[in-house]
Amino acid sequence: MSNSYAQAVLRTTDLAETLRVVGRLLDLADTTQLEVDFEARVRTPGELERLSGLIPDAEWWSCGADRHGSSDNGDAPSEWLPIFLRSWCMAPESVEELVAAAGDTPAMIRWDFSGWPEAPEVCLGRGGPRGAYVTVCLNARDLDLQGPAPDHTLYVHVKQIEAERAPWLAAQVGLRVIGELEMAPL
């Protein structure tokens, strides 16, 4: 498992605006190899039905240290709620369906791409694929989806040694960073 470093640049209840800003950030990036990853903390049978209908082969595991149900064990996810559900390397076109299926579930969509652009104002060259992500936490304020929230948080990911890129990226889309740079497990 690797890590990137993420910094929040937007928190709002306006999901459409959040996705517009994602689009503007992706317009800056090298998206020749663009894919999305999805994670959610699924709490109810209805949430599970909506999400597993869209991503039937998602991996999952039960939430909690004393709970051991998982897709690796061949268990039925409905018997282990709440669960943490994850799917990798999805087509970018799946985002609208993922958002709709998530509803008010705490979930995360991460866009993974080839690299950030050169940032000469902060003395940074073009960034490579490591640390080049944009994440939206739906109905959550943290990357671990620990608790439901009434709003959504948008993060940009950068390499730790290129921390100056996060505020630079935020400024390119008319925003500023909020909060601290934090390690984000992938």
Side-chain angles (χ1 to χ4, degrees), residues 9 17 25 56 65-67 69 74 79 84 89 92 94 112 121 124 137 139 141 153 155 174-176 179 182 186:
V9 298
E17 174 61 17
L25 286 164
D66 60 336
R67 305 182 71 234
E79 296 175 12
F84 190 82
C89 306
S94 64
D112 182 354
E121 298 88 342
L124 292 173
C137 293
N139 313 304
R141 293 184 176 178
T153 304
Y155 291 86
L175 299 172
R176 59 180 181 75
E182 56 187 275
L186 299 178

Side-chain angles (χ1 to χ4, degrees), residues 10 33 38 45 54 87 166:
L10 178 66
Q33 295 182 9
F38 179 81
L54 184 60
S87 184

Side-chain angles (χ1 to χ4, degrees), residues 15-29 31 34 95 111 113 116 134 136 154 173:
L15 184 55
E17 174 61 17
T18 303
L19 295 175
R20 279 191 292 277
V21 174
V22 168
R24 291 172 38 214
L25 286 164
L26 293 177
D27 286 344
L28 297 171
T31 57
L34 179 64
V95 169
W111 288 258
F113 43 89
W116 288 119
V134 173
V136 172
L154 170 60
V173 295

Side-chain angles (χ1 to χ4, degrees), residues 58-144:
E59 62 182 329
W60 66 269
W61 56 93
S62 52
C63 296
D66 60 336
R67 305 182 71 234
H68 305 289
S70 76
S71 53
D72 288 344
N73 297 339
D75 297 324
S78 59
E79 296 175 12
W80 289 93
L81 293 172
I83 63 170
F84 190 82
L85 181 132
R86 176 172 61 197
S87 184
W88 297 81
C89 306
M90 300 174 72
E93 297 78 23
S94 64
V95 169
E96 274 188 43
E97 290 178 301
L98 290 168
V99 168
D104 64 356
T105 304
M108 183 272 315
I109 299 173
R110 182 178 47 245
W111 288 258
D112 182 354
F113 43 89
S114 301
W116 288 119
E118 181 178 353
E121 298 88 342
V122 292
C123 302
L124 292 173
R126 183 186 180 295
R130 189 164 175 214
Y133 311 101
V134 173
T135 297
V136 172
C137 293
L138 305 166
N139 313 304
R141 293 184 176 178
D142 64 286
L143 292 162
D144 295 322

